[in-house]
Amino acid sequence: MPLISSRKCKWGLVVLSLLCLALSFTGSVAYGQYVVSSKSIWSAFWSYDPNSIDQVIVRTTRLSRALVACLVGASLAVAGVLMQALTRNPLASPSIFGVNSGAVFAIVLFSTFFSVTSLTTFLWLAFLGAGVAGALVYGLGTLGRDGLSPVRIVLSGAAISALFMAFTQGILVIGQEGLDSVLFWVAGSVSGRDLSMVMPLIPAFIVGIVLAMLTAPQINILLSGDDIAKGLGQNTVFIKVVLSLLIIGLAGGSVALGGSIGFIGLIVPHMVRAVVGHDHKWLIPLSALWGAILLLCADVVSRFVIMPEEVPIGVTTAILGAPFFIYLARKGGKRE
C-alpha cells in the first residue's frame, strides 16, 4: 500500500516537492569550491554586474549546470517510469534501449576518425547515436507475429548495447586519442555547458515530459494487460510506439546533454511509487520532480568529496543506486 492515498495529500506532496526543487536548485547555484551568497545570486538575475566575480560565476557556470541537472534528472526519471511500464519489468531503466552505448559510440567514432572536438557537436552526435540505438532496439523488439514484446525489447537492448560497446572498444584500440573524450561521457557530467547550448534544448525536454504526463491514463489501462486494454478500445500498438519514442527522446537527450548517468531512471520511479502508488497521473510528474532534486543534490555532493577536484556525477549516482538495485534484485523485482 502507498504511504499517501488521498488526492489532497498528493497535491501537498507536489507542492512540497516543488519547494525542495527550488531549494536544491539554489543550493546547486550557491555551493561549490567557491560559495556564492544568496544576495549575489539574486543580483545575478535581476541586476547583473559583469564586474562582480560572484555574479559572473552564477551566470557563466553555476546556472547552466543547475539547469542541466534539472533537465537530465527529470527526463531520466520519467523515461524510467515509461520504460518500466512498457516492459512491465520493475528492474528496467532507460539504458535498456541502448541509448548510453549508442551515444558513446557516436562520440568515439567521430572524435577518432573525423577529429571532432566541439562540445556542442558532441551533444548532437550523442543524441544521434542514442536515437539510432533506440530505433534498432525498437525495430528488433517488434519482430515476430505478436508485435512489440517487452521481453524481446529487453533482449534486443542487451544485444545492441553489447554490440555498440564492442565497436567502441575496438575504435579506442585503434585511436587512443579518443579515450579522453569518451571517459567524459561514460562517467557523466553536468558541467561545462554554456547557457547558449542549454536554452534551445529546454523546450524539447519540457514537451517530452508533458507528453509523457498526457499518456498517463493510457499507461494505466495498458498495465491491466493487452487483452483487457484492447477490450476497452485502446490501440495498444500505437501507445507502445508513443512510449518507445518518448523513452528514446528523453533518455537520448539526457545522455547527449549529461553523458551516461545511471540509476536515476531505476530508483526514482520506485521511490515515488512507494509513496503515491501506481497511478501514473501522479507517478510521472512526481518522478520528474524527484529526479531533478536527486541529480541536483548528487551534483552538489560530487563537488565536495575530493575538493578541489570533483567526483563524476555518474559515480555519485552509482554509489546511491547500486545498493538499491541489489535490494530490488533480492526482492525478485517485485513492485511495491
Side-chain angles (χ1 to χ4, degrees):
M1 291 293 294
L3 296 177
I4 297 177
S5 56
S6 71
R7 184 180 180 87
K8 185 176 181 180
C9 290
K10 289 178 180 178
W11 275 114
L13 181 61
V14 170
V15 174
L16 180 61
S17 299
L18 287 171
L19 292 175
C20 290
L21 177 61
L23 290 174
S24 302
F25 191 94
T26 303
S28 177
V29 175
Y31 295 107
Q33 185 176 353
Y34 188 88
V35 179
V36 179
S37 67
S38 57
K39 181 180 179 181
S40 296
I41 295 174
W42 179 266
S43 299
F45 286 103
W46 303 110
S47 57
Y48 180 61
D49 180 8
N51 295 318
S52 171
I53 296 177
D54 288 2
Q55 295 182 38
V56 170
I57 290 175
V58 171
R59 293 284 289 263
T60 59
T61 59
R62 296 279 179 84
L63 178 59
S64 61
R65 185 168 183 164
L67 285 173
V68 170
C70 281
L71 293 175
V72 172
S75 298
L76 286 176
V78 172
V81 173
L82 301 181
M83 193 72 208
Q84 291 170 11
L86 180 65
T87 62
R88 297 173 192 169
N89 180 358
L91 297 180
S93 65
S95 60
I96 285 180
F97 254 123
V99 293
N100 292 11
S101 56
V104 171
F105 170 72
I107 291 171
V108 173
L109 176 67
F110 281 86
S111 64
T112 301
F113 293 107
F114 300 96
S115 301
V116 175
T117 58
S118 170
L119 186 61
T120 303
T121 305
F122 278 167
L123 189 150
W124 293 110
L125 288 175
F127 190 82
L128 174 64
V132 170
L136 288 173
V137 171
Y138 179 81
L140 292 174
T142 56
L143 294 177
R145 296 180 179 178
D146 54 346
L148 186 63
S149 167
V151 175
R152 198 178 294 117
I153 283 181
V154 174
L155 295 176
S156 301
I160 293 298
S161 295
L163 180 65
F164 275 120
M165 289 308 297
F167 287 159
T168 300
Q169 293 168 2
I171 294 174
L172 289 176
V173 170
I174 298 173
Q176 291 292 329
E177 65 274 8
L179 184 60
D180 291 339
S181 299
V182 72
L183 286 178
F184 174 83
W185 294 92
V186 169
S189 175
V190 295
S191 63
R193 278 72 167 165
D194 295 329
L195 277 177
S196 59
M197 181 191 304
V198 178
M199 294 303 290
L201 298 175
I202 292 178
F205 281 96
I206 292 177
V207 168
I209 293 173
V210 170
L211 288 176
M213 292 180 186
L214 294 176
T215 64
Q218 301 299 322
I219 295 176
N220 290 336
I221 296 174
L222 184 65
L223 290 178
S224 62
D226 285 359
D227 292 337
I228 296 177
K230 290 178 181 177
L232 294 174
Q234 184 184 77
N235 187 338
T236 57
V237 175
F238 176 75
I239 296 300
K240 290 177 181 179
V241 170
V242 171
L243 294 182
S244 299
L245 293 175
L246 287 173
I247 293 168
I248 293 172
L250 291 172
S254 298
V255 175
L257 196 57
S260 181
I261 299 175
F263 293 103
I264 296 293
L266 172 66
I267 63 178
V268 171
H270 283 277
M271 294 166 57
V272 178
R273 198 177 288 117
V275 177
V276 299
H278 299 273
D279 187 351
H280 285 74
K281 294 177 183 178
W282 297 100
L283 184 57
I284 292 176
L286 281 170
S287 292
L289 292 174
W290 288 24
I293 293 169
L294 181 59
L295 200 59
L296 282 168
C297 293
D299 182 41
V300 173
V301 170
S302 68
R303 305 175 195 179
F304 289 94
V305 176
I306 54 173
M307 285 184 69
E309 301 295 328
E310 292 186 9
V311 174
I313 194 171
V315 175
T316 306
T317 57
I319 293 173
L320 296 173
F324 191 85
F325 180 82
I326 295 172
Y327 167 74
L328 289 177
R330 287 180 61 86
K331 285 180 61 179
K334 296 178 181 178
R335 295 182 181 271
E336 293 82 350

